[in-house]
Amino acid sequence: MKFFVDTADIDAIAELNDLGMVDGVTTNPSLIKKSGRDILEVTKEICDMVDGPVSAEVIALKAEDMIAEGRKLAEIAENIAVKVPLTWDGLKACKVLSDEGKMVNVTLCFSANQALLAAKAGATFISPFIGRLDDLNMDGLDLIADIREIYDNYGFETNILAASIRTANHMSECAKIGADVATAPPAVIKAMANHILTDKGLDQFVKDAAEAKIKIL
Ligand code: G3P
């Protein structure tokens, strides 16, 4: 499973990128707002740093405007994936931009039917939002499993990009289901390293090393 980082924070991306943890980046208008940066400038900086796809989202609601914005975003760099919302207009924009050879990420997906439509419209990525379904007392991971089954039934090549990931557990569950990509905030990716028994075991090793006066350097 590929790891995308869901942020527009350059320093956070750089830290994970140096560790080889970054296969791509996803942004959205909320994350651009949080960065306090100009969308074109910050997106260009991310594209220069990361080899994989960098999703940049349109803000228009009508297909023709989304297409114009998508073309402008795609000019930033070759690794831009234009992000469009899963609306009927978004699907129209997806088809046009995909036919032009651009990568398209269809976002705000909350049902298997929406994912089926995005695949038919030629999406490179479909972004089902796990956490926001969980917030409504539904099971976001079930949606990932349903889309995996449907895409595999028919050989759709659209990549399942699990999004709205809130916990480290979401990451391993997505990997078990077979999501192609999971995009998560930097803090969630770092939290994957944590285990209470690791901390407990290390405390004991540190104590024993001190008592035995072990020295290596
Ligand atoms: O990838 C989508 C993500 O940014 C939304 O996450 O936590 O706001 O639902 P969240």
Side-chain angles (χ1 to χ4, degrees):
M1 184 174 74
K2 290 185 174 164
F3 281 20
F4 287 5
V5 192
D6 197 30
T7 185
D9 180 333
I10 293 283
D11 292 340
I13 296 167
E15 184 190 359
L16 290 167
N17 198 39
D18 288 348
L19 279 174
M21 302 280 180
V22 179
D23 299 306
V25 172
T26 50
T27 66
N28 60 37
S30 306
L31 294 170
I32 296 292
K33 179 184 166 200
K34 200 170 166 191
S35 77
R37 305 269 316 269
D38 172 77
I39 182 171
L40 300 178
E41 276 177 26
V42 72
T43 306
K44 170 91 176 85
E45 231 175 283
I46 297 169
C47 287
D48 287 346
M49 187 195 309
V50 171
D51 290 332
V54 175
S55 290
E57 188 160 344
V58 301
I59 52 168
L61 298 178
K62 289 191 178 156
E64 61 189 53
D65 300 330
M66 286 188 210
I67 292 164
E69 287 182 357
R71 286 176 180 149
K72 180 159 183 185
L73 290 170
E75 280 172 9
I76 295 173
E78 285 203 343
N79 53 338
I80 283 286
V82 179
K83 212 169 172 190
V84 299
L86 211 157
T87 58
W88 200 249
D89 278 79
L91 292 169
K92 284 184 191 170
C94 173
K95 175 78 175 110
V96 170
L97 294 167
S98 298
D99 284 351
E100 290 177 0
K102 297 172 175 59
M103 288 189 284
V104 180
N105 176 356
V106 181
T107 189
L108 290 168
C109 171
F110 294 95
S111 77
N113 275 333
Q114 289 181 318
L116 197 44
L117 289 174
K120 298 292 278 186
T124 317
F125 300 102
I126 181 68
S127 291
F129 275 33
I130 298 174
R132 292 193 194 182
L133 284 169
D134 289 357
D135 289 344
L136 296 181
N137 217 12
M138 300 167 86
D139 192 337
L141 289 167
D142 279 352
L143 175 58
I144 304 295
D146 287 348
I147 299 171
R148 181 75 283 155
E149 184 180 346
I150 290 169
Y151 281 8
D152 288 350
N153 281 347
Y154 299 99
F156 284 120
E157 288 178 5
T158 300
N159 290 280
I160 301 174
L161 196 174
S164 184
I165 284 184
R166 307 271 178 77
T167 65
N169 194 48
H170 278 156
M171 293 294 280
S172 47
E173 290 302 318
C174 283
K176 277 159 67 182
I177 292 166
D180 300 289
V181 189
T183 190
V188 171
I189 293 175
K190 289 173 99 171
M192 292 168 73
N194 298 342
H195 199 289
I196 184 84
L197 292 178
T198 304
D199 297 342
K200 211 174 153 194
L202 190 57
D203 284 349
Q204 187 64 48
F205 290 157
V206 168
K207 196 166 161 259
D208 289 344
E211 281 174 19
K213 297 187 172 34
I214 296 174
K215 277 200 174 155
I216 298 172
L217 293 175

